[in-house]
Each structure stands twice: as structure tokens, then as C-alpha cells.
Amino acid sequence: SGVSVQAGIPANVFRTGGRVRLADRRRLFGHAAMTIWLTGLSGAGKSTIAYELEARLVNNGFSAVVLDGDNLRHGINRNLGFTEADRRENLRRAAEVARLMNDAGLIVICSCISPLRSDREMAREIVGERHFAEVFVSTPLAVCEQRDCKGLYAKARSGQIANFTGVSSPYEAPEQAGLALDTSAQSVDECVDSLFGLVLHCCSPAAMEGVGDEYHI
């Protein structure tokens, strides 16, 4: 992708390795770690799916956590706006947090609009290809706008919100997502069933055989 994830690291700062390997954390939790990156328009159903999947996983003995784009903007990303540069930094921070949580052994469900392919590729590079699954919540714009759960599309159409994805800012659909889910054609339970199957496939001990000898964090 040509994206450098090392830019901005100050000179004379060195990484210190720990003594706990990813394989050790897999034995502790009984499953491998991964990041499921849910991308799609506002109102597509990303957050609903993310929190339902988190509940399903936890109820079945998996250690999982949601990183929700709006929630992150109340804390770690509260100083960022919606310019292209700020959106990119928003996603870089989300991906770095997901990477840290993966290193700690957790399954991370990241729910972010993440409209640009280049930014999603940056997230994939930060998290690591072996631990990253891009999922396209492909609910059409017309359906998302009809739902308008937060009233944002109406504000965007009237000019009250600038740079709104799908209205005044572009959304670049994934070309090769690991999974596509359309909440206008599939129920939440059906979407979660598909994602739960993805986790079972990707996070079984056999799926990550030979990965995890390295030390992280």
C-alpha cells in the first residue's frame, strides 16, 4: 500500500519487548486474537451489529471488545474534526488501539465509517494482515438516509453538516472485503451469525498455528 506506519516516531525512542508471547495469551484465553473492521455508511447498522456480536462472543466464552467510532470521539479522539486529515488520524488511533488489544489477546470489533480505501489499508497494515478482517456493511445509501437514526442526513442535506460521508464526502466501497452484510436484506441475527462463523474460523487455535512466537506490546 506504500503507507508508512512508522512516520512520526521521535529519534532515540526504542521499543521494549515483554516476556509474554501471543501464543501464551492464546493459551490463557483459549482463542486467537483478531480485529474485525466494520466499514459502511452512517446508519448502515455497524454499531448495532458490533455490540450484538460482542455480546454473542462474550456469552460463548470469548474475550471481545467493541471500538466504536462515535464513542472514541468522546475520549481518545475528542480533539479531532472531520477533515480528511483528522479522519485519517481518527482511524490511525483506532487501529493502534485495536493492535494493542489484539496483542493483549482480545478479539476487537471496530465500527468506523472509514470511507477511504487508503485509510482502511493503513489500519490493516497497523493491525497486521494475519489479524485483520475487513467487513463491508453494505446497506445502500437510500436505506441509511431513510432510517436517519440520528438526524444527520437531514442536517447534511440542508447544509448544516459539512463533509458528511455519502452526501458531501465520498465513500469508497471495499473491493475485496472478507464479508459483506446488508442490513436492509439481512436481519441483525443473520449478520451476527455470519460474523460469529468468521470468528470461529479465524480464531481457532488451528487457524493461528505457528503464529505467536513473537513478543508484543
Side-chain angles (χ1 to χ4, degrees), residues 106-177:
L106 302 177
I107 296 168
V108 178
I109 308 149
C110 196
S111 170
C112 294
I113 294 173
S114 40
L116 301 182
R117 293 189 190 103
S118 60
D119 289 350
R120 296 194 300 268
E121 283 306 304
M122 172 190 66
R124 182 189 299 271
E125 186 173 345
I126 290 169
V127 172
E129 180 72 33
R130 290 293 300 269
H131 299 277
F132 189 93
E134 183 180 40
V135 174
F136 180 27
V137 184
S138 61
T139 310
L141 173 62
V143 175
C144 296
E145 190 162 1
Q146 185 179 31
R147 291 174 178 169
D148 205 9
C149 314
K150 303 171 185 174
L152 300 178
Y153 283 99
K155 289 183 178 179
R157 292 292 182 190
S158 66
Q160 297 178 60
I161 300 177
N163 302 318
F164 190 79
T165 302
V167 176
S168 51
S169 186
Y171 179 82
E172 298 173 353
E175 295 174 329
Q176 293 182 316

Side-chain angles (χ1 to χ4, degrees), residues 2 6 14 18 22 43 48 53 58 69 71 81 89-90 92 119 124 132-133 137 141 148 151 161 171 183 192 211:
Q6 297 299 316
F14 303 94
L22 295 181
T48 300
L53 176 61
V58 170
N71 290 352
E89 175 61 12
N90 176 56
R92 187 194 69 80
D119 289 350
R124 182 189 299 271
F132 189 93
V137 184
L141 173 62
D148 205 9
I161 300 177
Y171 179 82
T183 61
V192 172
V211 177

Side-chain angles (χ1 to χ4, degrees), residues 6-196:
Q6 297 299 316
I9 296 177
N12 304 315
V13 175
F14 303 94
R15 185 182 293 276
T16 301
R19 297 181 60 188
V20 179
R21 301 172 302 167
L22 295 181
D24 300 324
R25 298 188 193 279
R26 278 210 311 277
R27 282 193 293 272
L28 176 66
F29 289 113
H31 60 76
M34 72 176 298
T35 291
I36 298 170
W37 193 277
L38 300 178
T39 176
L41 295 168
S42 177
K46 299 181 301 298
S47 295
T48 300
I49 292 170
Y51 284 109
E52 288 295 328
L53 176 61
E54 178 191 44
R56 174 87 64 90
L57 288 169
V58 170
N59 288 337
N60 281 273
F62 293 85
S63 295
V65 65
V66 171
L67 293 178
D68 182 80
D70 283 352
N71 290 352
L72 291 174
R73 284 184 175 275
H74 284 274
I76 192 172
N77 292 334
R78 67 191 304 171
N79 64 323
L80 298 176
F82 291 91
T83 64
E84 188 171 322
D86 276 3
R87 284 183 166 190
R88 184 174 178 81
E89 175 61 12
N90 176 56
L91 297 176
R92 187 194 69 80
R93 293 181 193 178
E96 293 285 4
V97 173
R99 165 67 186 261
L100 289 171
M101 289 182 165
N102 282 170
D103 285 350
L106 302 177
I107 296 168
V108 178
I109 308 149
C110 196
S111 170
C112 294
I113 294 173
S114 40
L116 301 182
R117 293 189 190 103
S118 60
D119 289 350
R120 296 194 300 268
E121 283 306 304
M122 172 190 66
R124 182 189 299 271
E125 186 173 345
I126 290 169
V127 172
E129 180 72 33
R130 290 293 300 269
H131 299 277
F132 189 93
E134 183 180 40
V135 174
F136 180 27
V137 184
S138 61
T139 310
L141 173 62
V143 175
C144 296
E145 190 162 1
Q146 185 179 31
R147 291 174 178 169
D148 205 9
C149 314
K150 303 171 185 174
L152 300 178
Y153 283 99
K155 289 183 178 179
R157 292 292 182 190
S158 66
Q160 297 178 60
I161 300 177
N163 302 318
F164 190 79
T165 302
V167 176
S168 51
S169 186
Y171 179 82
E172 298 173 353
E175 295 174 329
Q176 293 182 316
L179 196 62
L181 304 170
D182 180 353
T183 61
S184 69
Q186 299 166 270
S187 69
V188 171
D189 280 346
E190 288 172 332
C191 293
V192 172
D193 286 344
S194 296
L195 286 167
F196 189 71

